[in-house]
Amino acid sequence: MLEIIPVPVFQDNYVWLAHDHSSGETVAVDPGIADPVLAAADVRGWRISQIWNTHWHDDHVGGNAEIKAATGAIVTAPRREADRIATGDVFVDEGDVVTLGEHVAEVLAVPGHTLGHVAYHLSGVGALFSGDTLFAMGCGRLFEGTAEQMWANMRRLGALPPDTLVYAAHEYTLGNADFALTVEPDNGALARRADSVAAMRRSGMITLPSTIERERATNPFLRAGSVEEFARRRAAKDDFR
Ligand code: ZN
Ligand code: FE
């Protein structure tokens, strides 16, 4: 059994801790900072044995060194960003696999937010660590890549099994819902989801993980009809508010 819990850090980041009960292994996905992540593992009696990074941004890798020093964790990071992630031990790219106990994560190259960005897909348990590529009702900003690249990611991630749980790296859900409603004001599933996430945030709840099914129904970036439409939506989101 794989238990996955969020550790909220900074303004709106989530570090995901996944613990495999049979092997005792624990992975921290995108630890931007060490202390709260080490503390969250400690209170559960988990020892962090691995770190998986999706991309080089500091809010995703900033805690690597300290967690390694405290636990001896092995850091898996995107190969195409090896020069920017000095704390990396194992570098991976499209087609590689990473294991946590008996669980296997396939590495998906999803460039766009950064050029080396990867996602980790545990198809056996139906979980996707999507980093800053796919968010609840949103997608990552194009800092390094092109709309074509991100659109290809949307097509590909949108084709994963509908019950796949999507563990994104940020709580951007409310702002994403506001934007999505401007794109699809008549989408009933979107309107209901916007209401429900607003209520969740009011009571301090975390709105993740999402599912691929929910994203297919409500995410304007997955739902674009063409790369041109995707690019227009992505550009409009950059200027939203
Ligand atoms: Zn980022
Ligand atoms: Fe980020």
Side-chain angles (χ1 to χ4, degrees):
M1 174 207 164
L2 194 65
E3 187 176 349
I4 305 179
I5 61 137
V7 184
V9 300
F10 306 131
Q11 271 300 103
D12 51 34
N13 282 71
Y14 293 126
V15 179
W16 295 101
L17 280 180
H19 177 73
D20 173 42
H21 286 273
S22 37
S23 66
E25 280 219 69
T26 303
V27 61
V29 181
D30 281 350
I33 187 168
D35 284 348
V37 180
L38 289 167
D42 269 1
V43 297
R44 290 169 177 81
W46 300 350
R47 189 184 67 82
I48 298 173
S49 52
Q50 297 191 48
I51 291 170
W52 297 350
N53 293 143
T54 63
H55 66 293
W56 65 269
H57 287 162
D58 202 49
D59 63 310
H60 299 253
V61 306
N64 281 4
E66 227 184 294
I67 294 173
K68 274 179 84 163
T71 65
I74 301 295
V75 177
T76 297
R79 186 174 303 138
R80 281 180 271 180
E81 298 180 356
D83 55 336
R84 312 198 74 153
I85 307 179
T87 46
D89 297 304
V90 178
F91 293 99
V92 293
D93 205 345
E94 177 69 32
D96 289 329
V97 296
V98 191
T99 58
L100 184 79
E102 69 201 8
H103 300 290
V104 177
E106 295 102 45
V107 177
L108 312 179
V110 284
H113 179 71
T114 65
L115 285 176
H117 198 302
V118 298
Y120 297 90
H121 179 220
L122 291 142
S123 54
V125 296
L128 175 75
F129 295 107
S130 61
D132 285 359
T133 294
L134 180 63
F135 296 121
M137 293 173 276
C139 79
R141 246 177 217 266
L142 299 173
F143 285 119
E144 298 178 5
T146 63
E148 285 74 15
Q149 287 175 316
M150 190 59 96
W151 171 239
N153 299 337
M154 295 297 108
R155 306 279 292 179
R156 185 178 185 192
L157 299 180
L160 292 177
D163 57 353
T164 305
L165 293 165
V166 179
Y167 296 88
H170 288 273
E171 178 65 63
Y172 289 161
T173 311
L174 273 191
N176 286 343
D178 287 346
F179 174 75
L181 285 167
T182 68
V183 176
E184 289 194 284
D186 300 326
N187 179 337
L190 171 59
R192 285 189 297 279
R193 188 177 185 194
D195 285 346
S196 119
V197 295
M200 287 172 84
R201 292 308 289 157
R202 276 196 301 275
S203 48
M205 288 168 71
I206 287 167
T207 62
L208 295 168
S210 180
T211 65
I212 291 296
E213 181 171 43
R214 223 175 284 158
E215 294 312 309
R216 279 187 204 157
T218 60
N219 187 316
F221 300 101
L222 277 190
R223 292 170 59 75
S226 64
V227 63
E228 291 78 16
E229 189 169 49
F230 170 85
R232 277 196 301 276
R233 290 178 182 184
R234 186 54 264 179
K237 176 68 165 64
D238 289 345
D239 297 332
F240 185 65
R241 297 186 214 219

